[in-house]
Amino acid sequence: EHPTFFKLLIVSTVSGGGLLTFSDASPFQGLITDSSQNEGKKKKVVVLGTGWAGTSFLKNLKSSSYDVQVVSPNNFFTFTPLLPSVTNGTVEARSIVEPIRNIVKKKPYNVEFKEAECYKIDPVNKKVYCRSNQSSTLDGIEEFTVDYDVLILAMGARVNTFNTPGVEEHAHFLKEVGDALRLRKSIIDCYERASLPSVSEEEKKRVMHFVVVGGGPTGVEYAAELHDLAFDDMAKLYPSAKDYLKITLLEAGDHILNMFDKRITTFATEKFQRDGIDVKTGSMVVKVSDKDISTKERKTGEIVSVPYGVVLWSTGIATRPVVRDFMNHIDQVKRRVLATDEWLRVEGCEDVYALGDCATINQRKVMEDIAAIFRKADKTNTGTLDLKDFKEVVGHICERYPQVELYLQKNKLKSFDALLKNAQGDDKKQIDIEIFKKALSEVDSQMKSLPPTAQVAAQQGEYLAKCFNRKELCEKNPEGPLRFRASGRHQFHPFRYRHFGQFAPLGGEQTAAQLPGDWVSIGHSAQWLWYSVYASKLVSWRTRMLVISDWSRKFIFGRDSSKI
Ligand code: FAD
């Protein structure tokens, strides 16, 4: 219960005054039809991408008021959390993908899918330029343009190579199904080569050295999967190769899984040590050649080169060139990632929304918003709040911005008090707005924007679809209930992320789970939780059945080592 804050909120809503610092225009103004010019004509919504964000939008859109065109180089959705399982054959590639046409076939809106990639966005003429990617199988590349009234960017991101020489040419990535299949084939190639009688000892050691670069969740999960494959199955199938096997995990930072609780990081590091996976922290890759990988050791500054058979590069994400080019056109040149406001509208551009990994909500604006909330709660207008009011305000900020709460949890700060004491030096009864700002800027500088995860992307897709659905109800019921008649920025609440926790599979049927409220579970029980959560999250009953049968097959018959 937060009476002060609710009063504030009601007052500001009625008076139209601003809790928020964004533009006053309604976030979804004029979505359905443009009454002045195109009476009766449906709005053309173009969705770029069929990943987590795009698919979630398409699944949740229930309004028949739109003509939807979908453009993506893949005519399917991929359940990315199971990609590491595809690399070792635990799960088949086909089991984790669902054709996009299946997903949209019973939707009430008109929808067309075009298998192509968008290579240019023209926000002035409201056009996207696309080209088909069928040149390898059919005659030539087809180019075309698609006009839009509303554009939804859900193109995800590319792998960040940090321009490290040789990575593009020699390393494997793990972003798509094709990557997983290529990686699997390369690993089996190495086993086959190491089993040939004519190959030298030195060469066998080289090809059987598998290197994973990046100690984030994907890198760690892949290293664990690889270890399971090697010890559970390949050791029996390739007895002569197994003695040469070495798995190395390279991480430039101080520890692996740095976005997880310390208990998980420690457990994972110790488990990998016991399993014989060589975890090297403070080791930054500076070059990859066709046979060697070179690292710079942070402590000594020494450059070390080691021969390898397969390298997986998994060090985070970067903006796609087409999105970067678009950013240059809309005055976001200096930004690293495309910025949106809290309604997912691209800043500096009309009628364009961006979801998932290809964009980020502008945190500076969020911070200004938080400061505005503080000012509103400051009834005395003295720039101070007493501790009780302050705590209420912080409670609401955490509710509204879970990233602030996450930051506090991660740093073991149960409230802002501790943070303020740090900034302030002593425990004053009154909180000065300047000190509050200082504390916020500390949070701001350390708080990362929302993590690039499927959870965020899917929630954003759902949020936007619900706003579009609601807009239809508002326009069709101008005299309807009050909630449809509200106007301006209060008609739609901003996007709020709900964090349901995260998993880090560690191999040997053990997983680490970090759930909301700082609840940590590690081991076999968390692995069963992982199985249940991912089975339930799969996009269709077909894929659910296939994945569960793949898991059962693995338990009964083990993994398959064929190269297909
Ligand atoms: P994507 O899902 O990457 O989709 C992008 C879409 O855009 C694709 O359909 C692509 O084909 C299309 N596209 C690309 N270029 C163009 C173009 N030029 N024009 C048109 N379309 C284009 N997150 C979790 O929350 N939990 C996990 O356990 C987890 N595990 C992961 C494991 C792996 C191996 C990987 C790679 C990621 C994992 N993630 C996980 C992260 C998660 O997959 C991403 O955050 C999520 O996919 C982002 O969704 P998105 O829709 O923004 O992008």
Side-chain angles (χ1 to χ4, degrees), residues 54-75:
T55 303
S56 164
F57 174 82
L58 294 168
K59 276 185 83 175
N60 287 287
L61 189 66
K62 306 234 159 37
S63 162
S64 55
S65 305
Y66 306 102
D67 271 333
V68 180
Q69 306 237 16
V70 185
V71 179
S72 174
N74 294 321
N75 72 350

mmCIF file of all heavy atoms in Angstrom, residues 54-75:
data_model
loop_
_atom_site.group_PDB
_atom_site.id
_atom_site.type_symbol
_atom_site.label_atom_id
_atom_site.label_comp_id
_atom_site.label_asym_id
_atom_site.label_seq_id
_atom_site.Cartn_x
_atom_site.Cartn_y
_atom_site.Cartn_z
ATOM 1 N N GLY A 54 9.532 -10.895 -32.818
ATOM 2 C CA GLY A 54 8.600 -10.836 -33.932
ATOM 3 C C GLY A 54 7.509 -11.891 -33.795
ATOM 4 O O GLY A 54 6.314 -11.613 -33.990
ATOM 5 N N THR A 55 7.907 -13.113 -33.437
ATOM 6 C CA THR A 55 6.931 -14.191 -33.332
ATOM 7 C C THR A 55 5.955 -13.950 -32.184
ATOM 8 O O THR A 55 4.754 -14.196 -32.308
ATOM 9 C CB THR A 55 7.657 -15.539 -33.162
ATOM 10 O OG1 THR A 55 8.534 -15.690 -34.269
ATOM 11 C CG2 THR A 55 6.695 -16.699 -33.122
ATOM 12 N N SER A 56 6.472 -13.454 -31.081
ATOM 13 C CA SER A 56 5.591 -13.179 -29.945
ATOM 14 C C SER A 56 4.572 -12.097 -30.330
ATOM 15 O O SER A 56 3.394 -12.191 -29.968
ATOM 16 C CB SER A 56 6.452 -12.743 -28.754
ATOM 17 O OG SER A 56 5.694 -12.134 -27.793
ATOM 18 N N PHE A 57 5.026 -11.105 -31.089
ATOM 19 C CA PHE A 57 4.089 -10.068 -31.558
ATOM 20 C C PHE A 57 3.007 -10.708 -32.426
ATOM 21 O O PHE A 57 1.814 -10.486 -32.216
ATOM 22 C CB PHE A 57 4.853 -8.979 -32.339
ATOM 23 C CG PHE A 57 3.950 -7.965 -32.969
ATOM 24 C CD1 PHE A 57 3.445 -6.913 -32.221
ATOM 25 C CD2 PHE A 57 3.576 -8.068 -34.305
ATOM 26 C CE1 PHE A 57 2.573 -5.985 -32.789
ATOM 27 C CE2 PHE A 57 2.713 -7.148 -34.882
ATOM 28 C CZ PHE A 57 2.214 -6.100 -34.118
ATOM 29 N N LEU A 58 3.437 -11.535 -33.385
ATOM 30 C CA LEU A 58 2.469 -12.132 -34.315
ATOM 31 C C LEU A 58 1.493 -13.067 -33.602
ATOM 32 O O LEU A 58 0.319 -13.126 -33.927
ATOM 33 C CB LEU A 58 3.220 -12.913 -35.409
ATOM 34 C CG LEU A 58 4.071 -12.057 -36.350
ATOM 35 C CD1 LEU A 58 4.980 -12.915 -37.197
ATOM 36 C CD2 LEU A 58 3.174 -11.197 -37.241
ATOM 37 N N LYS A 59 2.007 -13.787 -32.597
ATOM 38 C CA LYS A 59 1.141 -14.721 -31.870
ATOM 39 C C LYS A 59 0.084 -13.992 -31.044
ATOM 40 O O LYS A 59 -1.016 -14.470 -30.864
ATOM 41 C CB LYS A 59 1.996 -15.576 -30.913
ATOM 42 C CG LYS A 59 2.609 -16.773 -31.586
ATOM 43 C CD LYS A 59 3.328 -17.634 -30.592
ATOM 44 C CE LYS A 59 2.361 -18.561 -29.882
ATOM 45 N NZ LYS A 59 3.049 -19.499 -28.998
ATOM 46 N N ASN A 60 0.469 -12.849 -30.508
ATOM 47 C CA ASN A 60 -0.438 -12.143 -29.590
ATOM 48 C C ASN A 60 -1.328 -11.109 -30.257
ATOM 49 O O ASN A 60 -2.243 -10.589 -29.620
ATOM 50 C CB ASN A 60 0.364 -11.481 -28.466
ATOM 51 C CG ASN A 60 0.882 -12.512 -27.496
ATOM 52 O OD1 ASN A 60 0.107 -13.060 -26.718
ATOM 53 N ND2 ASN A 60 2.166 -12.835 -27.580
ATOM 54 N N LEU A 61 -1.054 -10.807 -31.533
ATOM 55 C CA LEU A 61 -1.889 -9.820 -32.224
ATOM 56 C C LEU A 61 -3.239 -10.467 -32.538
ATOM 57 O O LEU A 61 -3.302 -11.508 -33.195
ATOM 58 C CB LEU A 61 -1.192 -9.352 -33.513
ATOM 59 C CG LEU A 61 -1.851 -8.180 -34.215
ATOM 60 C CD1 LEU A 61 -1.777 -6.918 -33.360
ATOM 61 C CD2 LEU A 61 -1.185 -7.892 -35.554
ATOM 62 N N LYS A 62 -4.292 -9.875 -32.034
ATOM 63 C CA LYS A 62 -5.615 -10.504 -32.207
ATOM 64 C C LYS A 62 -6.552 -9.614 -33.020
ATOM 65 O O LYS A 62 -7.684 -9.970 -33.290
ATOM 66 C CB LYS A 62 -6.277 -10.746 -30.838
ATOM 67 C CG LYS A 62 -5.420 -11.540 -29.882
ATOM 68 C CD LYS A 62 -6.151 -12.741 -29.354
ATOM 69 C CE LYS A 62 -5.293 -13.831 -28.811
ATOM 70 N NZ LYS A 62 -4.113 -13.541 -28.091
ATOM 71 N N SER A 63 -6.078 -8.433 -33.379
ATOM 72 C CA SER A 63 -6.946 -7.471 -34.025
ATOM 73 C C SER A 63 -7.001 -7.718 -35.530
ATOM 74 O O SER A 63 -5.978 -8.008 -36.167
ATOM 75 C CB SER A 63 -6.395 -6.081 -33.736
ATOM 76 O OG SER A 63 -6.931 -5.188 -34.636
ATOM 77 N N SER A 64 -8.183 -7.575 -36.097
ATOM 78 C CA SER A 64 -8.306 -7.781 -37.548
ATOM 79 C C SER A 64 -8.132 -6.463 -38.307
ATOM 80 O O SER A 64 -8.376 -6.387 -39.503
ATOM 81 C CB SER A 64 -9.674 -8.381 -37.856
ATOM 82 O OG SER A 64 -10.661 -7.524 -37.307
ATOM 83 N N SER A 65 -7.710 -5.426 -37.589
ATOM 84 C CA SER A 65 -7.647 -4.102 -38.221
ATOM 85 C C SER A 65 -6.346 -3.826 -38.973
ATOM 86 O O SER A 65 -6.117 -2.713 -39.394
ATOM 87 C CB SER A 65 -7.801 -3.018 -37.157
ATOM 88 O OG SER A 65 -8.955 -3.221 -36.437
ATOM 89 N N TYR A 66 -5.495 -4.817 -39.065
ATOM 90 C CA TYR A 66 -4.200 -4.557 -39.691
ATOM 91 C C TYR A 66 -3.957 -5.506 -40.856
ATOM 92 O O TYR A 66 -4.394 -6.656 -40.835
ATOM 93 C CB TYR A 66 -3.064 -4.758 -38.671
ATOM 94 C CG TYR A 66 -3.245 -3.951 -37.410
ATOM 95 C CD1 TYR A 66 -3.703 -4.560 -36.244
ATOM 96 C CD2 TYR A 66 -2.968 -2.599 -37.390
ATOM 97 C CE1 TYR A 66 -3.890 -3.828 -35.088
ATOM 98 C CE2 TYR A 66 -3.153 -1.855 -36.230
ATOM 99 C CZ TYR A 66 -3.616 -2.478 -35.081
ATOM 100 O OH TYR A 66 -3.799 -1.746 -33.946
ATOM 101 N N ASP A 67 -3.199 -5.005 -41.833
ATOM 102 C CA ASP A 67 -2.634 -5.869 -42.871
ATOM 103 C C ASP A 67 -1.189 -6.084 -42.484
ATOM 104 O O ASP A 67 -0.414 -5.128 -42.439
ATOM 105 C CB ASP A 67 -2.683 -5.157 -44.234
ATOM 106 C CG ASP A 67 -3.987 -5.424 -44.943
ATOM 107 O OD1 ASP A 67 -4.570 -6.493 -44.677
ATOM 108 O OD2 ASP A 67 -4.422 -4.565 -45.726
ATOM 109 N N VAL A 68 -0.851 -7.323 -42.198
ATOM 110 C CA VAL A 68 0.507 -7.566 -41.676
ATOM 111 C C VAL A 68 1.369 -8.221 -42.751
ATOM 112 O O VAL A 68 0.948 -9.175 -43.407
ATOM 113 C CB VAL A 68 0.441 -8.468 -40.420
ATOM 114 C CG1 VAL A 68 1.835 -8.729 -39.872
ATOM 115 C CG2 VAL A 68 -0.442 -7.834 -39.352
ATOM 116 N N GLN A 69 2.568 -7.687 -42.916
ATOM 117 C CA GLN A 69 3.548 -8.298 -43.829
ATOM 118 C C GLN A 69 4.764 -8.648 -42.981
ATOM 119 O O GLN A 69 5.260 -7.806 -42.245
ATOM 120 C CB GLN A 69 3.990 -7.278 -44.877
ATOM 121 C CG GLN A 69 2.852 -6.657 -45.608
ATOM 122 C CD GLN A 69 2.989 -6.861 -47.106
ATOM 123 O OE1 GLN A 69 3.752 -7.700 -47.558
ATOM 124 N NE2 GLN A 69 2.246 -6.081 -47.847
ATOM 125 N N VAL A 70 5.220 -9.867 -43.132
ATOM 126 C CA VAL A 70 6.375 -10.303 -42.345
ATOM 127 C C VAL A 70 7.534 -10.562 -43.298
ATOM 128 O O VAL A 70 7.362 -11.254 -44.310
ATOM 129 C CB VAL A 70 6.050 -11.599 -41.560
ATOM 130 C CG1 VAL A 70 7.203 -11.988 -40.649
ATOM 131 C CG2 VAL A 70 4.763 -11.444 -40.759
ATOM 132 N N VAL A 71 8.692 -10.000 -42.976
ATOM 133 C CA VAL A 71 9.885 -10.233 -43.808
ATOM 134 C C VAL A 71 10.972 -10.806 -42.913
ATOM 135 O O VAL A 71 11.302 -10.233 -41.869
ATOM 136 C CB VAL A 71 10.396 -8.907 -44.435
ATOM 137 C CG1 VAL A 71 11.647 -9.154 -45.266
ATOM 138 C CG2 VAL A 71 9.314 -8.250 -45.272
ATOM 139 N N SER A 72 11.499 -11.953 -43.308
ATOM 140 C CA SER A 72 12.590 -12.548 -42.531
ATOM 141 C C SER A 72 13.355 -13.517 -43.416
ATOM 142 O O SER A 72 12.743 -14.199 -44.252
ATOM 143 C CB SER A 72 12.014 -13.296 -41.321
ATOM 144 O OG SER A 72 13.041 -13.982 -40.652
ATOM 145 N N PRO A 73 14.674 -13.599 -43.249
ATOM 146 C CA PRO A 73 15.424 -14.564 -44.068
ATOM 147 C C PRO A 73 15.132 -16.010 -43.676
ATOM 148 O O PRO A 73 15.481 -16.926 -44.410
ATOM 149 C CB PRO A 73 16.893 -14.204 -43.802
ATOM 150 C CG PRO A 73 16.898 -13.332 -42.616
ATOM 151 C CD PRO A 73 15.528 -12.766 -42.429
ATOM 152 N N ASN A 74 14.520 -16.221 -42.513
ATOM 153 C CA ASN A 74 14.171 -17.585 -42.095
ATOM 154 C C ASN A 74 12.662 -17.714 -42.071
ATOM 155 O O ASN A 74 11.992 -16.901 -41.430
ATOM 156 C CB ASN A 74 14.702 -17.871 -40.687
ATOM 157 C CG ASN A 74 16.209 -17.887 -40.663
ATOM 158 O OD1 ASN A 74 16.840 -18.383 -41.583
ATOM 159 N ND2 ASN A 74 16.779 -17.313 -39.626
ATOM 160 N N ASN A 75 12.127 -18.763 -42.722
ATOM 161 C CA ASN A 75 10.660 -18.905 -42.709
ATOM 162 C C ASN A 75 10.198 -19.704 -41.491
ATOM 163 O O ASN A 75 9.185 -20.368 -41.515
ATOM 164 C CB ASN A 75 10.153 -19.499 -44.025
ATOM 165 C CG ASN A 75 10.482 -20.969 -44.158
ATOM 166 O OD1 ASN A 75 11.249 -21.511 -43.358
ATOM 167 N ND2 ASN A 75 9.919 -21.615 -45.156
#
